[in-house]
Amino acid sequence: MDELLSLSAVAQASLIRRREISSEQLVRLHLARIAELNPQINAVVQIDEAGALESARRADSRTAAGEDVGPFHGVPFTLKDWIETTGLVCAAGMTERAGYIPKRDATVAIRMRETGAILLGKTNVLEENPVYGATRNPYDLGRSPGASSSGEAAIIAAGGSPMGLGSDSGGSLRFPAHCCGIATLKPTTGRVPLTGHYPRIGASHDPRTVIGPMSRWVEDLWPMLVAISGVDQRDPSVAPVPLEPPEAGMSGRRIGWFTAMPGAQPSAETVKAVEAAVSAVSAAEATTERVELPRLEESMPLTRIYWARLQSPSWAEWLPGRSSSLTAEEIERSIFEWDRFRRTMLAFMAPFDAIICPVAEEAAPLHGKTTAQSYIYTLPFSLTGWPAATVRAGSSGAGLPIGVQVVAKPWREADALAVAAIIESALGGWLQPAI
């Protein structure tokens, strides 16, 4: 892999500002990488080559003119194909949308462009879908890349894109990042507008789903979060909570950690990765302690009831498209139990700055073998709505990535990223796949 393609987006932007590489050169390098690897991994499903190159030339003209530019000026990015953009098909993996071109950009797409970043294209969703087929893991083509931000994680891991955006309801940022060995952040629910996300997310119906940044390196996640966060006057779920930047150092921080969980059987390699991450933050002078979180056994049943509830793909009309066997009392009870779960977890979290735990029981499963059980460690923190970072902390015996989850209090994304950065620095983070 070209050394440039292994750099962070922040580092690539710095090279452009210093005129050590042009935006057009950088975009062409990424397009070439996609052309080389995409036939094997099927991660990128729509490419805007002409538009990206034209945007890169405009970026280079601005650099030459000495204009003040954004933090990702001239750097390419990709978007999960559940995030709408004008001019490109947004099929979302659904046959009924196979030729659909949105009339407007999602809020987060607009905001990424405002940083100076250049859209290369859209990435595949789910392990497999009827429109674009299967996405493959660049570390092992027979393994799952995770779901549903599968293509985004795979192309970033393979070096075809330095950064991108995905979305997460029950683990769809974190599990793909774990499977593909990259870094991601699930922000606090209500931090980032979901305007332009498909499937449509209603704030009252789904308090779990978020859009978040993905990259090979933790240092990209904070400036990406800054770019996409904040009220857009269209998504009523977004709260105007200020972002507080990460603080250096672990001294004085109290970090809990766990690997044991009701219903889970983490592999020895997974336990080893978590323990290595805990040792890293302990060596950085944080106080660490093994913990037992309350009511974790409720997270899977609560989520299964949530999945069984009806949803409408339209915001304008109630069009659920299927029936549900749930009674009104079962739905109301699940909401009551969900609230109780959130209150209990929040009280437990009060003395801690972060919690370190597995993302999944084991490294990437064989393709087609991903189940609800694959998300057993991510589901609790979707129900709470808390921020959670994922960073590579180890490898399986077969060389597959193993990530850890760093969970922080609501609105404290900075704490999750500060801990993730320490883990990455100590343990190495992303490693180039063999593909």
Side-chain angles (χ1 to χ4, degrees):
M1 180 186 292
D2 190 302
E3 184 178 349
L4 282 169
L5 298 184
S6 69
L7 296 176
S8 69
V10 167
Q12 290 180 8
S14 179
L15 291 176
I16 291 172
R17 283 194 297 272
R18 298 199 305 266
R19 303 188 191 184
E20 295 181 26
I21 189 172
S22 71
S23 175
E24 183 175 356
Q25 288 173 318
L26 189 62
V27 167
R28 288 188 182 279
L29 281 173
H30 284 92
L31 289 171
R33 184 67 171 164
I34 292 170
E36 174 191 0
L37 292 183
N38 206 52
Q40 299 176 71
I41 62 176
N42 192 34
V44 182
V45 294
Q46 294 286 328
I47 299 178
D48 186 14
E49 180 171 346
L53 289 172
E54 177 58 29
S55 294
R57 294 184 192 108
R58 289 198 300 267
D60 289 333
S61 295
R62 294 187 64 191
T63 302
E67 293 184 29
D68 185 28
V69 294
F72 293 118
H73 178 74
V75 178
F77 76 107
T78 42
L79 288 173
K80 178 182 183 178
D81 198 36
W82 283 2
I83 298 171
E84 295 182 338
T85 53
T86 56
L88 286 177
V89 170
C90 180
M94 304 174 68
T95 53
E96 59 267 35
R97 286 174 58 102
Y100 176 70
I101 299 177
K103 297 178 182 178
R104 59 182 64 88
D105 282 348
T107 298
V108 292
I110 294 170
R111 290 175 175 179
M112 284 298 295
R113 293 185 200 270
E114 288 173 347
T115 70
I118 294 171
L119 181 64
L120 291 177
K122 306 296 288 297
T123 54
N124 213 357
V125 298
L126 309 173
E127 274 192 13
E128 189 166 359
N129 65 71
V131 179
Y132 296 121
T135 307
R136 302 292 176 177
N137 191 316
Y139 289 89
D140 181 338
L141 299 181
R143 297 280 174 170
S144 171
S148 60
S149 305
S150 53
E152 199 61 44
I155 199 62
I156 291 171
S161 174
M163 61 178 173
L165 301 179
S167 57
D168 187 312
S169 293
S172 294
L173 285 165
R174 292 161 287 165
F175 185 56
H178 157 77
C179 289
C180 295
I182 67 167
T184 192
L185 173 71
K186 180 187 84 70
T188 306
T189 304
R191 174 70 81 184
V192 177
L194 290 162
T195 308
H197 183 281
Y198 191 90
R200 307 298 182 201
I201 304 298
S204 299
H205 182 269
D206 182 359
R208 307 176 315 147
T209 299
V210 293
I211 292 173
M214 306 179 83
S215 174
R216 285 183 295 277
W217 303 109
V218 171
E219 74 169 335
D220 291 332
L221 302 179
W222 179 257
M224 292 177 73
L225 178 66
V226 170
I228 64 177
S229 296
V231 172
D232 71 347
Q233 302 302 332
R234 295 181 67 194
D235 180 351
S237 73
V238 181
V241 180
L243 278 165
E244 300 179 17
E247 297 179 4
M250 290 289 106
S251 180
R253 295 181 188 255
R254 185 179 178 188
I255 311 297
W257 66 278
F258 71 95
T259 56
M261 180 173 179
Q265 295 182 327
S267 69
E269 296 160 329
T270 297
V271 172
K272 181 179 178 181
V274 172
E275 290 175 344
V278 172
S279 293
V281 298
S282 180
E285 299 186 347
T287 299
T288 61
E289 59 183 280
R290 189 191 294 264
V291 296
E292 294 184 13
L293 275 68
R295 297 192 180 275
L296 286 183
E297 71 280 359
E298 298 177 7
S299 58
M300 182 67 78
L302 282 170
T303 302
R304 288 190 184 279
I305 292 178
Y306 172 80
W307 286 335
R309 288 164 55 185
L310 296 180
Q311 298 185 30
S312 174
S314 169
W315 277 347
E317 298 180 70
W318 176 247
L319 300 170
R322 64 178 177 86
S323 61
S324 173
S325 62
L326 292 175
T327 67
E329 183 175 350
E330 285 173 326
I331 294 171
E332 291 299 325
R333 178 176 176 174
S334 73
I335 294 172
F336 169 86
E337 292 175 345
W338 189 347
D339 281 341
R340 184 180 64 189
F341 177 84
R342 288 164 60 91
R343 287 194 305 271
T344 305
M345 289 280 280
L346 192 61
F348 177 86
M349 190 67 177
F352 296 99
D353 295 288
I355 300 289
I356 299 172
C357 66
V359 179
E361 292 174 305
E362 57 187 5
L366 291 170
H367 202 281
K369 298 298 183 181
T370 299
T371 67
Q373 185 71 14
S374 303
Y375 299 88
I376 191 168
Y377 282 102
T378 57
L379 292 177
F381 308 110
S382 293
L383 294 172
T384 63
W386 298 348
T390 294
V391 63
R392 183 172 182 162
S395 302
S396 72
L400 296 171
I402 296 177
V404 296
Q405 198 172 190
V406 182
V407 183
K409 295 174 185 174
W411 312 111
R412 291 300 306 167
E413 291 88 352
D415 290 337
L417 291 177
V419 174
I422 292 293
I423 295 169
E424 180 184 79
S425 177
L427 303 179
W430 171 81
L431 294 173
Q432 180 179 332
I435 189 173

